[in-house]
Amino acid sequence: MTFVIGDKCLGERYATCVEVCPVDCIHPGEYEDQVFMIIDPDECIDCAVCAPECPIDAILETEDDDPKWTEINAQLAEAFMQNEPVEARPANEPPRKPENQLR
Ligand code: SF4
């Protein structure tokens, strides 16, 4: 089991989770021409500290919560881990997407 970043992150990417991850396994990139981030399933130690840091609840606790985005996280991991870190957005900044479009 591993934590997974779901599609709520797509186009948002607060990156507030990155600062708390003890093994630096959360990596930024772009997917479908939108900013995104993934959790590398090979590195994640399931410590759970990242999930409460996400202001839009985009981090899922297990693969079972969303098998499709679990697969996407795994597929993008190798490419995203090459990317430079990004600056975090303030957690109190409103989401870019209207609430009803946060999938
Ligand atoms: Fe990092 Fe822990 Fe979140 Fe895994 S569960 S991504 S190790 S903070």
Side-chain angles (χ1 to χ4, degrees):
M1 287 302 185
T2 177
F3 280 64
V4 170
I5 299 185
D7 57 355
K8 281 185 178 177
C9 180
L10 198 61
E12 297 290 345
R13 195 171 68 188
Y14 280 85
T16 44
C17 52
V18 175
E19 294 164 16
V20 299
C21 177
V23 294
D24 291 331
C25 71
I26 309 176
H27 305 290
E30 293 206 355
Y31 181 66
E32 294 181 339
D33 295 324
Q34 298 187 73
V35 294
F36 187 52
M37 13 196 19
I38 59 87
I39 292 173
D40 182 346
D42 292 336
E43 293 179 292
C44 176
I45 57 170
D46 294 341
C47 71
V49 301
C50 55
E53 297 299 318
C54 181
I56 54 172
D57 296 327
I59 302 179
L60 309 170
E61 207 169 314
T62 76
E63 291 115 323
D64 293 340
D65 289 337
D66 197 329
K68 176 187 165 187
W69 285 85
T70 297
E71 188 63 33
I72 291 169
N73 276 234
Q75 286 172 350
L76 296 174
E78 193 172 334
F80 277 25
M81 73 172 63
Q82 317 292 332
N83 295 334
E84 293 294 319
V86 294
E87 198 169 322
R89 287 168 65 191
N92 61 358
E93 190 177 288
R96 294 172 179 140
K97 288 181 282 198
E99 190 71 28
N100 61 2
Q101 286 179 28
L102 283 174
R103 296 183 277 176

